[in-house]
Amino acid sequence: MNADMVPGVVAVILVSVATLAIGTWGLRISRTTSDFLVASRTVRPRLNASAIGGEYLSAASFLGVAGLLLTFGAEMLWYPVGWTAGYLVLLVLVAAPLRRSGAYTLPDFAEARLGSRGVRKLCSVLVVGIGWLYLLPQFQGAGVTLRSTIGAPPWAGSLVVALVVLASVSPGGMRSITFVQAFQFWLKLTALLVPVFVLLAVWAADGAPDPTTTAASSWSVPLATGGGVGLYTTYSLIVATFLGTMGLPHVVVRFYTNPDGRAARRTTLAVLVLLGVFYVLPPLYAALGRIYAPDLIDGRSDVLVLELPSLMVGGLLGAVLTGLVTAGAFAAFLSTSSGLTIAVAGVLSQDVTGRRWGSYRLGGVASFRVAAAIAVVVPLLLSLPAQDVAVARTVGLAFAVTASTFAPLLMLGIWWRGLTPAGAVAGLLVGGLGSGAAVAWTLATSTSTGWTAALLGQPAAWSVPASLATMVVVSKLTAASVPAHAGRFMVRLHTPEAVDLQR
């Protein structure tokens, strides 16, 4: 093994061992199904905020943002801005009412709000599909990382992440993975923060060259160029990232783990602070990359964070910094994959593996573990032929789908009594099929240009309004089918837990 590969190998081993150790430790404190799915609703705001930061800051955040900024410039800042601002929308509109619903998963909430098994089944399909779509870039990013640091084939990183996630999630579920993800958030923040101080010192010692001198004038412009197409792309990206957060299954399930609605709001505020600090760092790597790593712009931008320390520093210090960022990157894949696995497994265990099949039925914990295996294996297999897709782009597409489906459902379900089961199904189908078809087209081809590429590559600007309008119009047409318990359920959602209310 080449000496340059040692830091990467050590980093991957240490992060994997730490993840397995903490996850396995959860076996002694996770006993019930509630422990596995929502940590028995006992996670306090500080710990929960760190865990949310751990699972939310994925491969797209750790590697993809810096790569996109390196290649396309300031217009890509809308990704981190939107991913952070999405929590502000979540705080104002969703966090506390969603926790008060008492649900375990998004399908649980939909069924409780609308009293329809059909809506629940459709939501279950969407949760699984979105979860798998979001898992793809985690496996892709792991492949990129191991290929860059130790020269392993792309499938090796995907396989390692899948195995470690299964081994850490299965023993303790949500309760133990909460501690894993909190640890991984602070590791990721440290892994970007410490190297960037050293790299900035090197940059200053070199006379502080200006990164814009090696880029076109449009590189530092935050609005996309290209006339109407460019503006549409920018605004559609903003819609997707602002609204998509509230529909991410692995994010939403975190609010079910809070003790009450007030704790859910405090958690969201803390997450806003943590994300704001983290997202200051990738733009610094991108700016330095314009000066010291221009060769990575064409086709290899996702490895910028991994290779910049060795390019700028070199020697033993460069090797140590490379090992640190590799550890942070691998923690990003593991933490997000763990959260997504739990979210998807929670739905599968309730609606698929936990069902009675003839005279046989798996127990609650056993069905969760089988569901976790299914949740990981399917996207692992799908990721193998898709290694050349930019990780941040794939995550952006997942946000477009969630913004077009669960965001309208949650906003109307929480704030409008008139939503009906037929309206919800119609809106979910319009938003899901519209954005899903656009995502499939985008991932399958790169030949479209102009407005076709813009409308299909960033569908949120038309798919979100279409879904929302469909839900409202169809609900108005089927107003007689508003659930009889809707008013009572709305009171439950919006009444603080301190009020004596029969919930």
Side-chain angles (χ1 to χ4, degrees):
M1 182 172 60
N2 192 310
D4 294 337
M5 300 179 182
V6 173
V9 173
V10 172
V12 170
I13 292 174
L14 289 178
V15 172
S16 299
V17 169
T19 298
L20 290 172
I22 299 173
T24 305
W25 173 76
L27 181 62
R28 69 184 183 87
I29 58 174
S30 293
R31 290 289 183 269
T32 67
T33 302
S34 181
D35 283 331
F36 275 76
L37 296 180
V38 291
S40 293
R41 308 190 195 277
T42 58
V43 184
R44 297 296 173 179
R46 291 181 184 177
L47 177 60
N48 216 10
S50 295
I52 290 174
E55 69 179 2
Y56 190 64
L57 297 172
S58 64
S61 296
F62 199 92
L63 298 180
V65 169
L68 287 176
L69 286 166
L70 172 70
T71 304
F72 300 105
E75 68 184 72
M76 294 296 106
L77 282 171
W78 290 113
Y79 276 102
V81 168
W83 289 337
T84 304
Y87 274 92
L88 185 59
V89 179
L90 195 66
L91 170 67
V92 173
L93 297 179
V94 174
L98 192 61
R99 169 58 189 89
R100 295 185 189 118
S101 71
Y104 282 94
T105 62
L106 275 170
D108 280 347
F109 171 82
E111 183 180 21
R113 169 64 178 84
L114 297 167
S116 169
R117 291 289 298 178
V119 177
R120 179 194 179 90
K121 290 177 181 178
L122 180 55
C123 288
S124 297
V125 172
L126 287 170
V127 166
V128 173
I130 291 168
W132 283 346
L133 179 62
Y134 209 119
L135 274 165
L136 283 178
Q138 313 315 315
F139 293 141
Q140 292 165 3
V144 168
T145 298
L146 288 196
R147 182 175 58 193
S148 172
T149 55
I150 65 175
W155 58 264
S158 303
L159 183 60
V160 171
V161 167
L163 293 176
V164 174
V165 165
L166 269 180
S168 60
V169 166
S170 297
M174 179 66 82
R175 185 180 286 279
S176 63
I177 213 66
T178 297
F179 297 102
V180 173
Q181 291 169 336
F183 157 74
Q184 288 168 338
F185 167 77
W186 293 106
L187 174 59
K188 284 183 280 190
L189 183 61
T190 303
L192 285 186
L193 191 62
V194 172
V196 86
F197 279 128
V198 177
L199 300 182
L200 287 174
V202 173
W203 171 70
D206 288 344
D210 186 351
T212 60
T213 58
T214 62
S217 59
S218 61
W219 186 78
S220 58
V221 177
L223 289 177
T225 57
V229 174
L231 286 176
Y232 167 84
T233 300
T234 298
Y235 288 121
S236 189
L237 175 61
I238 291 172
V239 171
T241 53
F242 274 48
L243 298 180
T245 301
M246 74 172 66
L248 292 175
H250 65 300
V251 169
V252 171
V253 74
R254 273 276 159 212
F255 290 95
Y256 300 139
T257 67
N258 283 119
D260 52 41
R262 181 171 178 268
R265 284 202 176 102
R266 290 175 60 194
T267 296
T268 311
L269 280 173
V271 170
L272 279 167
V273 175
L274 296 179
L275 295 185
V277 172
F278 182 91
Y279 279 128
V280 170
L281 304 176
L284 296 177
Y285 281 85
L288 292 171
R290 268 287 169 176
I291 303 168
Y292 297 97
D295 293 342
L296 299 180
I297 293 175
D298 296 325
R300 298 187 62 237
S301 59
D302 278 340
V303 302
L304 171 65
V305 171
L306 300 171
E307 297 191 4
L308 191 61
S310 61
L311 292 173
M312 289 184 63
V313 181
L316 179 60
L317 179 57
V320 171
L321 295 179
T322 297
L324 186 56
V325 294
T326 301
F330 219 70
F333 315 139
L334 292 174
S335 57
T336 302
S337 299
S338 299
L340 287 163
T341 299
I342 286 178
V344 173
V347 171
L348 289 176
S349 66
Q350 288 187 327
D351 297 330
V352 181
T353 61
R355 292 180 58 191
R356 183 177 297 279
W357 300 92
S359 60
Y360 182 74
R361 182 176 183 177
L362 284 174
V365 173
S367 69
F368 174 86
R369 288 171 174 163
V370 172
I374 297 172
V376 168
V377 170
V378 172
L380 171 64
L381 296 177
L382 293 175
S383 71
L384 299 180
Q387 291 290 335
D388 59 341
V389 181
V391 291
R393 188 184 186 196
T394 312
V395 169
L397 293 172
F399 269 74
V401 176
T402 62
S404 305
T405 51
F406 287 126
L409 177 68
L410 287 171
M411 287 190 292
L412 293 178
I414 289 172
W415 296 100
W416 185 43
R417 181 184 176 278
L419 183 66
T420 65
V425 169
L428 289 172
L429 288 175
V430 168
L433 292 176
S435 60
V439 167
W441 177 274
T442 302
L443 293 177
T445 180
S446 59
T447 58
S448 57
T449 58
W451 275 106
T452 301
L455 291 171
L456 295 178
Q458 293 291 349
W462 56 266
S463 58
V464 173
S467 175
L468 191 64
T470 301
M471 285 189 187
V472 172
V473 170
V474 175
S475 292
K476 289 286 188 181
L477 295 176
T478 58
S481 63
V482 172
H485 71 282
R488 184 171 65 254
F489 195 82
M490 297 288 283
V491 170
R492 174 181 176 178
L493 293 180
H494 298 288
T495 304
E497 286 84 354
V499 177
D500 187 14
L501 192 73
Q502 187 175 2
R503 297 180 182 273

